[in-house]
Amino acid sequence: MSVITQGFILILVFGLYWLCPERRRYIKKRIGNNAIPNLYQVARNLYFMLSKKDLKVRGNLDVLSRGGILYSFHFGVWELMPRRLSQLGFRLGILVNTYKDQGLRGRILDYLLKRFRSNKGVKIFYPDDVFRIVEFIKSGGIFGVLIDGNTFYAKFEKIKRLAGLCNVPLIPFAAYQKHNRGILEIGADLNQIITRYPLHYLWFYRSRQG
């Protein structure tokens, strides 16, 4: 992607920040004087994800050999995790929200996100697809989910119960860029990594689901 694309993403991110007072107050409350550097890093991460750059994998992949649940936050370049593990031969599925209740704009956004996320054969699941999700995990699939909302671990207990129901390991991951090189850590310490790279975290609004 070109310099023009990078510039467009920067303008879009900062534009949404300045045009939405509620989100501006929320991000300032969350990160204080680092709001602008945070937005800049988020824009860089969005460009990295849209470019579909490669990730170097760290950690033990053997724990995923019989399926499992990978969880993380809206941190770094999280959207690239499913694509990278699919390249390595794993069968991936991810949980996403739908925006169809927001009219035509929401349906268009759903369509674009699905096209981007289903690349490399990644399966898309929505919150109502409970039985399909359980079937997918029990058949050996790797299920990816983000657990943050109004708190970092807002949805963790639900995902923990799902892992218990399916009798599969529950494993944290972190995908991020460092010096323009992508890294995917399997078994990452999420608390430590948020402390180490706080500007890579993205959350601008009150969650619809906690």
Side-chain angles (χ1 to χ4, degrees):
M1 291 189 182
S2 66
V3 174
I4 295 175
T5 305
Q6 295 182 58
F8 174 77
I9 293 173
L10 279 168
I11 292 170
L12 178 63
V13 169
F14 279 91
L16 289 173
Y17 174 73
W18 288 110
L19 292 174
C20 301
E22 183 178 351
R23 294 190 181 188
R24 190 161 67 244
R25 288 191 295 270
Y26 191 83
I27 190 174
K28 279 190 173 182
K29 180 180 178 181
R30 182 176 65 79
I31 204 166
N33 294 330
N34 283 321
I36 298 303
N38 181 214
L39 289 170
Y40 177 73
Q41 184 61 59
V42 165
R44 291 189 71 246
N45 288 339
L46 289 174
Y47 173 75
F48 196 96
M49 288 190 283
L50 289 172
S51 300
K52 297 182 178 179
K53 295 189 178 183
D54 198 17
L55 302 177
K56 180 179 180 180
V57 180
R58 296 177 178 174
N60 181 17
L61 290 177
D62 291 341
V63 296
L64 301 175
S65 60
R66 296 184 180 179
I69 298 177
L70 286 172
Y71 70 93
S72 191
F73 305 142
H74 288 83
F75 173 85
V77 292
W78 73 90
E79 292 278 7
L80 297 181
M81 178 279 287
R83 182 175 186 273
R84 182 66 182 109
L85 291 186
S86 290
Q87 290 174 333
L88 296 175
F90 293 97
R91 192 159 56 92
L92 263 293
I94 58 173
L95 180 67
V96 304
N97 283 319
T98 179
Y99 301 92
K100 61 185 179 181
D101 60 340
Q102 298 180 17
L104 178 61
R105 181 181 64 177
R107 290 193 294 272
I108 292 173
L109 182 59
D110 274 349
Y111 172 76
L112 294 175
L113 288 174
K114 187 172 183 177
R115 285 200 59 180
F116 176 80
R117 289 166 167 166
S118 59
N119 189 267
K120 299 293 180 182
V122 176
K123 293 186 178 295
I124 304 297
F125 295 98
Y126 297 99
D128 292 339
D129 296 330
V130 178
F131 294 110
R132 290 182 59 232
I133 291 170
V134 170
E135 181 181 16
F136 175 79
I137 297 172
K138 285 188 173 182
S139 67
I142 307 298
F143 185 59
V145 61
L146 302 181
I147 62 168
D148 54 327
N150 297 331
T151 64
F152 282 129
Y153 291 92
K155 305 177 183 73
F156 178 75
E157 289 302 320
K158 291 181 180 179
I159 299 306
K160 184 178 178 180
R161 288 195 293 271
L162 178 62
L165 174 66
C166 298
N167 193 29
V168 296
L170 181 61
I171 304 160
F173 79 90
Y176 57 98
Q177 59 162 316
K178 185 177 181 181
H179 306 308
N180 206 35
R181 293 184 178 181
I183 299 169
L184 171 58
E185 289 190 24
I186 304 298
D189 184 326
L190 295 181
N191 292 331
Q192 184 183 80
I193 208 163
I194 283 285
T195 301
R196 200 187 331 160
Y197 303 114
L199 299 182
H200 286 250
Y201 183 64
L202 166 66
W203 200 255
F204 292 164
Y205 51 89
R206 299 294 293 178
S207 173
R208 291 183 292 179
Q209 299 177 21

